[in-house]
Amino acid sequence: MRKPNKIKIIPLGGLGEVGKNITVFEYKEDIILIDCGMTFPEDEMLGIDVVIPDVTYLLKNRDKIRGIVLTHGHEDHIGALPYVLAKLNLPIYGTKLTLGLVENKLKEHKLESVKLNIVKHGDTIKLGNLDIEFIKTGHSIPDSAALAIHSPVGTIVHTGDFKIDYTPIDGDVIDLNRFAELGNKGVLALLADSTNAERPGYTMSERTVGNTFRDIFARHKHRIIVATFASNVHRIQQIINASEQNNRKVVLSGRSMTNTISVALELGYLHIQEGTLIDINDMNKYSSNEITIITTGSQGEPMSALSRIAAGEHKKIEIQPEDLVIISATPIPGNEKTVSKVINNLVESGTKVIFEALADVHVSGHACQEELKLIHTLVKPKYFIPVHGEYRHLKKHAEIAESLGLSRENIFILENGRVIEFTKDSAELNGFVPAGNILVDGLGVGDVGNIVLRDRKHLSEDGLIVIVVTISKKEGVVLAGPDIISRGFVYVRESEDLMEEARNVVKAVLDDCEQKNITDWATLKSSIRDTLRNHLYGKIKRNPMILPIIMEV
């Protein structure tokens, strides 16, 4: 009897977390990837710049991969591309703006041989045995797409990040009709965005923010500084519209803001009157009521433009008490403290700050419960996998699907690396593939792991003591030292007695080893480390990292 055809779905990121979205679809000898995102490090990932997905499975199966298909241009969906493409030169497929942002990113990383293929909404591309159809959706960045993966096993719909906005800024409404057509033909499985699954009701239209901006800009008679995501082109368009209506010039601050706006302008996704955008160096030629500054830093990132403005460290922008600062974003989970710190710094300088809790200056780009219910009702999938979100978001989305009549046995809450196989009539979990975090620190990709992070944590909490001893190669006797250098442990000038005691403890260990004719370096080092650690812990209940250095002459 012939085995039934199977299609595998393997999420390598984006499940049980916010960000780092990447999903493998595998049918026989063909693999396609949907998205390739990064995320920002958690607090305990000391010194790490970004986190990207583990692509070990892809490296092992590189000959099967037909391409990377992108749903939209946010960092959590395209941010890992430069790191993955450095190992796997694959063709990329996406809409015009998405690929414009990708091209910019690849130039920065000097990856200019990658083939970028622009796809329009409504088009279908063929990659091996899989046909991928691009469906128009709405999100907080233009040119977002859902994907219908048509395979010999059946059609699988992946929503990407989406919301249902009936009055979008660009007038290009989500193609609900196509979702309904696919549902009527029969959809094997649905993978849908779960970010806002806990929020009841509907996500407000982006236009509500535009109305708020118009009111604020008409009333405020001094400089306005607006912090938002550089990628939120629709939001930036509305800030520019409100500025132009009130005869304000617009200044950009932040590298990602300048880059994104330049790409969006070039590709026709932003419309700005001639003379509205001015150079930051020309700002002082205008009075304060003629200036709007659009800046990055809505998440309180320490090195961002807004954080530097708030701390008085920006080279070109000095905060004035009569300024109005609008933070047009919601803190991503984990960023609440840094955003709060920036707001406090601004308020301390006498400036008024408006953020989401005070006015409608932000709306989400993700679907709330009623919008999710609409998509489920139109698509009518046989199986459902909630994606994009922490476990609680995935669980809530699963409950919504069940409340709409989908059998619990047909809903799968997966974790990164979990393999699920579909035939026309069945779905079955089948093992795991590697799917962890690869940490990027500077130019080092993956060279910082758990042991290094543990050492950094240890150093950050308890400090370091370096002990330098010079020993005679012939006689094995101590010629110089022990010298003790301390960093981040105690303030040496006020702890001279403690350091002298430590020196005597090490001296006693060396004398003891000398009497016992112990010259093996490993034994000497471990004896110094253990004895000094016990002494210091007994004295002040601290446990610094102890690094003995032995030199032979």
Side-chain angles (χ1 to χ4, degrees), residues 229-240:
F229 289 112
S231 60
N232 198 336
V233 175
H234 290 149
R235 184 74 45 84
I236 291 161
Q237 181 69 68
Q238 298 198 100
I239 298 164
I240 286 163

Side-chain angles (χ1 to χ4, degrees), residues 384-503:
F384 172 55
I385 301 169
V387 294
H388 305 175
E390 296 170 7
Y391 184 81
R392 62 196 175 94
H393 303 126
L394 307 181
K395 182 80 168 69
K396 187 65 191 174
H397 201 170
E399 288 168 7
I400 290 167
E402 198 178 344
S403 75
L404 294 169
L406 193 59
S407 162
R408 187 177 291 187
E409 288 73 44
N410 288 13
I411 300 170
F412 295 89
I413 300 178
L414 302 184
E415 55 201 281
N416 292 335
R418 193 73 157 118
V419 181
I420 186 166
E421 291 182 339
F422 291 99
T423 68
K424 283 182 177 174
D425 308 303
S426 68
E428 184 183 9
L429 297 171
N430 187 14
F432 288 88
V433 304
N437 291 330
I438 300 295
L439 309 179
V440 179
D441 184 359
L443 295 176
V445 179
D447 56 347
V448 173
N450 290 337
I451 292 168
V452 174
L453 285 182
R454 188 190 65 201
D455 284 351
R456 287 182 181 184
K457 192 167 189 292
H458 191 175
L459 286 167
S460 73
E461 289 171 349
D462 299 301
L464 169 73
I465 288 181
V466 180
I467 299 148
V468 183
V469 181
T470 307
I471 293 177
S472 160
K473 198 169 188 178
K474 284 185 181 175
E475 292 89 20
V477 296
V478 175
L479 297 177
D483 293 320
I484 295 184
I485 302 155
S486 155
R487 288 290 179 275
F489 170 56
V490 290
Y491 184 48
V492 175
R493 286 184 184 175
E494 290 179 2
S495 307
E496 286 173 0
D497 292 348
L498 182 68
M499 300 316 273
E500 190 55 41
E501 278 178 34
R503 202 171 285 109

